[in-house]
Amino acid sequence: MNTATKTIKVYDEIVDFIASGTTPQRVIDFHLSEAAQERLEDLVHSAKNNELTKEDKRELEKYLVLEHILRLAKAKAYKYIDTGIKENASILH
C-alpha cells in the first residue's frame, strides 16, 4: 500500500459524492477511484487474514454501510429514470 492510499478513507469518495448533490444517472454511473478501490482491496485482504487494525475495521464497516446505501440509491435511480423523472433532478428532493 502506498502512502497516498493510506491517508484516504475508502468511504470518503462516497461521502463527497453524496454531499455534492447529484442526478439519478450520476448515481448509477458512480464508481470508486482506482486509489479507493486499491484501499478497499487492502482492507478486504487484511480482513480475510485477520490483520485489520481497529481503525481499519471501523473504516471497512463504514464503507460497507455506505456501499449498501449507494446500492439502494442506484436501484432507486433506475426507477427514477424508468418513470421519466428528468435526469438533472436531484435525488435529494
Side-chain angles (χ1 to χ4, degrees):
M1 170 185 345
N2 67 39
T3 40
T5 57
K6 193 172 185 175
T7 59
I8 65 166
K9 300 292 185 197
V10 69
Y11 54 80
D12 283 345
E13 290 182 0
I14 296 174
V15 172
D16 290 343
F17 177 71
I18 292 169
S20 68
T22 192
T23 65
Q25 188 61 54
R26 287 188 63 220
V27 170
I28 292 167
D29 294 341
F30 179 82
H31 296 284
L32 292 176
S33 69
E34 190 174 317
Q37 187 64 42
E38 285 180 22
R39 175 69 180 140
L40 176 60
E41 290 170 8
D42 287 344
L43 290 171
V44 170
H45 177 78
S46 294
K48 286 181 179 177
N49 293 301
N50 294 321
E51 298 171 345
L52 284 177
T53 64
K54 286 182 181 180
E55 184 177 337
D56 287 346
K57 184 176 181 182
R58 281 191 300 270
E59 181 181 353
L60 183 57
E61 289 171 350
K62 287 178 182 178
Y63 169 78
L64 292 173
V65 169
L66 287 171
E67 192 270 343
H68 178 71
I69 291 169
L70 189 58
R71 283 180 187 257
L72 295 173
K74 285 186 179 200
K76 190 159 262 188
Y78 278 111
K79 279 186 177 181
Y80 284 154
I81 288 174
D82 288 346
T83 58
I85 293 177
K86 292 182 181 179
E87 185 176 314
N88 62 357
S90 170
I91 63 167
L92 300 175
H93 295 136

